[in-house]
Amino acid sequence: MLSLPDAVIQALQVLTIACASPGVSGVMAHIEARLQGRRGPRVMQPYYDLAKLFHKEALAPAQAGPFFLLAPVVSFACYLTVPLLIPVLTTYPLPLGDMGDILGGSIILSFGSFVVAVAAAETGDPYAQLGSSRAKTFSAITEPVMLLVVFTVALITGTDLPYALARTVTSSPAQIVRPAHLLASAAFFLVILFETSRIPVETHTGTIELGMIEEARSFEHSGPYLALLQWGSSAKQLILFTILLNVFVAPWGMAPTTRLYQVVLAMVFLIAKAIGLGIIVVIIDNTFAKLRLFKITEFVAAAFLLVCLALFTLYLGGG
């Protein structure tokens, strides 16, 4: 049987996230359109949009500095660093898998989002600055939730390494239904809804200023830089899906060895699981009516309460 070196598999993890993320977003956009009674875009439309943007001219506001053009590159590099640390294709740690834990991956994702917000604030455009300030305001609420999820995971498994948690979940079916694990997973799922702009407040593809957060931050970017922002956004979404699926909820279908066919099957399973989770997210997004902006705090507070309950169940013997 043909086996692949660990370095090649690690590179394939990054390529899988980078190449499959626009396709997962395309499937979600197509399903969303069908739920709304529209024909919708093609599944491959995100790839066509990226190719078109990469061939366009890049423009920048007169008052923007070099950081405005550097931010999309830095954020995209941050998003492609996280797949080196998390179980994307294999059940065993790869050479760089032990160099960072869940907290480190969360910090890298937050830093990528931070540089985009700073670049948006630098433009002087009111809409871009509005989206930037909103994103950082609400991120200050969600980041404590992420910290508590990490602490809960560390208490459950004795470590905050994602590979260790995945092994704990797959060690016994009883591990999945533990109250602390279920509550922490539910809290992380709510954070994903916020981070992917799927909360029932913001319209993730709209340009109405009353609800713009994610879309407003890239308002002044164009050409290849806008392509990197859109590509990075879809990659971040798939990374969060991968963490939830391969670490918390369904860490199955990954390659236990370096054999080529097992790695290829792991890619297929990951994309299939991500599409399934994406369909669930789209159904939730289209089931609830959009609420007022200040309701975001109540939405994130629900995630905070869930992870606090997870901690309590650990101390009360339910973990």
Side-chain angles (χ1 to χ4, degrees):
M1 290 292 181
L2 180 61
S3 297
L4 298 175
D6 287 341
V8 174
I9 299 177
Q10 197 144 46
L12 286 176
Q13 290 199 150
V14 178
L15 290 176
T16 301
I17 295 294
C19 297
S21 56
V24 173
S25 298
V27 173
M28 293 175 65
H30 184 76
I31 297 297
E32 183 177 16
R34 290 296 185 181
L35 291 176
Q36 296 173 356
R38 300 182 289 109
R39 181 178 179 180
R42 294 170 292 181
V43 172
M44 303 296 291
Q45 188 62 43
Y47 295 101
Y48 301 139
D49 292 340
L50 291 176
K52 180 176 66 176
L53 288 173
F54 274 117
H55 286 85
K56 284 190 173 183
E57 181 184 4
L59 302 175
Q63 64 272 25
F67 189 79
F68 175 79
L69 299 179
L70 185 62
V73 180
V74 173
S75 64
F76 190 69
C78 289
Y79 296 146
L80 293 189
T81 302
V82 179
L84 299 174
L85 310 175
I86 62 175
V88 178
L89 300 177
T90 63
T91 58
Y92 58 92
L94 293 170
L96 299 179
D98 292 332
M99 294 186 65
D101 52 15
I102 296 180
L103 181 59
S106 301
I107 292 175
I108 294 174
L109 289 177
S110 298
F111 180 73
S113 178
F114 173 76
V115 295
V116 175
V118 172
E122 187 183 358
T123 62
D125 180 80
Y127 289 127
Q129 290 181 336
L130 182 68
S132 175
S133 62
R134 286 175 173 176
K136 293 301 101 187
T137 299
F138 298 126
S139 293
I141 307 174
T142 58
E143 286 172 2
V145 179
M146 285 296 299
L147 288 174
L148 285 177
V149 169
V150 172
F151 293 153
T152 305
V153 169
L155 289 173
I156 293 174
T157 63
T159 176
D160 53 359
L161 292 175
Y163 284 95
L165 177 59
R167 285 195 297 267
T168 302
V169 174
T170 55
S171 62
S172 171
Q175 300 289 343
I176 305 176
V177 296
R178 290 186 302 178
H181 179 76
L182 292 177
L183 291 170
S185 301
F188 186 67
F189 179 71
L190 294 182
V191 172
I192 289 178
L193 293 181
F194 170 80
E195 291 292 340
T196 57
S197 304
R198 294 285 179 173
I199 51 177
V201 179
E202 177 189 0
T203 303
H204 62 281
T205 57
T207 55
I208 301 176
E209 64 272 14
L210 295 178
M212 282 198 306
I213 300 178
E214 187 68 26
E215 288 291 322
R217 296 193 301 171
S218 59
F219 221 60
E220 291 296 316
H221 286 87
S222 61
Y225 299 101
L226 179 58
L228 285 178
L229 288 177
Q230 293 183 355
W231 196 359
S233 179
S234 61
K236 178 183 177 181
Q237 175 180 259
L238 184 55
I239 289 169
L240 293 173
F241 284 5
T242 302
I243 295 175
L244 180 64
L245 292 168
N246 285 356
V247 177
F248 285 91
V249 178
W252 292 278
M254 294 185 288
T257 66
T258 60
R259 293 179 179 177
L260 176 61
Y261 79 94
Q262 291 181 339
V263 175
V264 173
L265 285 177
M267 294 180 186
V268 175
F269 275 112
L270 174 65
I271 296 173
K273 290 189 295 186
I275 290 175
L277 179 59
I279 293 174
I280 295 174
V281 170
V282 167
I283 292 174
I284 293 175
D285 186 30
N286 286 269
T287 301
F288 294 93
K290 300 302 176 183
L291 306 176
R292 295 182 181 180
L293 190 67
F294 67 86
K295 292 290 186 180
I296 293 180
T297 55
E298 299 180 9
F299 180 84
V300 180
F304 184 79
L305 290 175
L306 285 175
V307 72
C308 286
L309 287 174
L311 288 172
F312 287 142
T313 56
L314 282 174
Y315 286 106
L316 295 176

